[in-house]
Amino acid sequence: FSTAIAITEQPVSVSVPVGYSFTLRCRAQGRTSLQYQWFCQYQSDCRLIPGAVNQDLPIVAEQTQLYTCRVNDLHRNAVFSDWVKVEVHQCVARGLPPRLWRGEPVIVLNPSEQRVQVGQPLQLHCAAMGVPAPSYQWYRNGNLLEQQKRKKLWITHTKVSDSGTYLCCASNSHGEHWTNAVDVHIGEQSQPTSLCCILPGVRCKIALLVGNNRYQHHPNLMAPVRDVFELSHLLEHLGFQVVSLLD
């Protein structure tokens, strides 16, 4: 019977840079001596790994794959370990992971600011390395988003209330690491100013920002460009339609 074999230590998923060396482990107990055989799956191709017949499977990370271990006893009973994912990051910034890395989460992809129309989908992406592979939890305005526990945050039909500041926490048994915080703006598709202002009963708030940094008898200035950018964000949050002009 399959209950004659009990796996006492399952292999664990990892998320590592290309070229990283590590070991997958599987431990089991049985009524007789046990035999181990590791398998890997890449896309839809599942195959036996020749010579991988020990409890430990040394790996040099090359590409993202799935792995499992089959354990047999002398009575032809067999059980399989959990499938685990070895996620391999092909492009990692210089200096990552740290030289004395012990497997704690390291952010390798931060989410980016998004502007989305109401009703359209929202996607935010992040990624972290870690041994074991990190788990993810997204937050908006400091509040936990109960259903968003993957690298990719996905909202199918956005509402204005989905606007805010988002960030994600990647954590494993060695600790946690946070992504950068990014702003997400959800708004109705703006109408042309001329139509908006001639429609009866429609209140319009329009801001015209002009930043000039090229003066005939003065060196170029950088502050006007930055100020227009920051003021436009502030005024949009206050409900203004903003028209920004430079020079």
Side-chain angles (χ1 to χ4, degrees):
F1 301 97
S2 60
T3 54
I5 304 172
I7 294 183
T8 57
E9 181 179 349
Q10 295 278 2
V12 297
S13 297
V14 302
S15 182
V16 296
V18 65
Y20 187 79
S21 299
F22 63 98
T23 300
L24 292 179
R25 293 165 52 89
C26 181
R27 299 288 186 273
Q29 292 179 344
R31 298 171 185 170
T32 69
S33 60
L34 301 176
Q35 299 173 327
Y36 293 80
Q37 176 63 62
W38 289 88
F39 295 78
C40 69
Q41 179 175 328
Y42 176 66
Q43 296 178 347
S44 60
D45 179 28
C46 182
R47 59 184 177 84
L48 176 150
I49 304 174
V53 293
N54 298 315
Q55 296 174 320
D56 294 344
L57 176 66
I59 295 176
V60 177
E62 294 180 356
Q63 61 187 4
T64 297
Q65 294 187 126
L66 300 175
Y67 292 83
T68 188
C69 185
R70 185 187 66 204
V71 185
N72 294 74
D73 66 11
L74 299 181
H75 300 300
R76 296 185 179 178
N77 297 312
V79 296
F80 281 85
S81 73
D82 296 339
W83 281 96
V84 294
K85 184 177 183 179
V86 173
E87 182 181 34
V88 179
H89 297 274
Q90 299 291 340
C91 298
V92 176
R94 182 175 298 177
L96 293 180
R99 196 162 65 89
L100 298 178
W101 190 44
R102 297 181 179 178
E104 66 275 10
V106 175
I107 302 296
V108 295
L109 176 64
N110 280 286
S112 57
E113 181 177 347
Q114 301 285 329
R115 289 181 174 273
V116 180
Q117 296 176 14
V118 170
Q120 295 300 306
L122 168 66
Q123 294 184 65
L124 293 174
H125 301 259
C126 75
M129 297 184 298
V131 180
S135 57
Y136 297 87
Q137 178 62 64
W138 286 89
Y139 294 78
R140 182 183 68 240
N141 298 333
N143 298 315
L144 183 145
L145 298 173
E146 191 66 42
Q147 305 301 319
Q148 302 292 351
K149 297 179 180 290
R150 298 172 179 260
K151 288 188 299 182
K152 297 181 181 180
L153 176 145
W154 173 264
I155 299 175
T156 308
H157 301 288
T158 54
K159 307 181 294 294
V160 172
S161 59
D162 292 320
S163 295
T165 301
Y166 287 74
L167 76 169
C168 186
C169 178
S171 62
N172 65 12
S173 55
H174 298 293
E176 63 183 29
H177 207 101
W178 296 77
T179 67
N180 295 338
V182 296
D183 290 330
V184 172
H185 309 273
I186 312 294
E188 298 285 358
Q189 185 174 10
S190 60
Q191 300 181 23
T193 302
S194 56
L195 289 178
C196 170
C197 293
I198 63 175
L199 291 175
V202 177
R203 296 180 60 190
C204 292
K205 296 193 296 184
I206 303 172
L208 173 63
L209 300 179
V210 179
N212 189 18
N213 66 348
R214 293 183 182 178
Y215 292 92
Q216 186 174 358
H217 302 294
H218 196 284
N220 286 354
L221 303 176
M222 289 304 298
V225 176
R226 185 184 66 236
D227 292 346
V228 166
F229 178 78
E230 293 179 352
L231 277 173
S232 66
H233 281 297
L234 175 61
L235 291 169
E236 284 172 353
H237 277 299
L238 296 175
F240 283 82
Q241 293 187 38
V242 179
V243 178
S244 301
L245 301 175
L246 296 175
D247 298 325

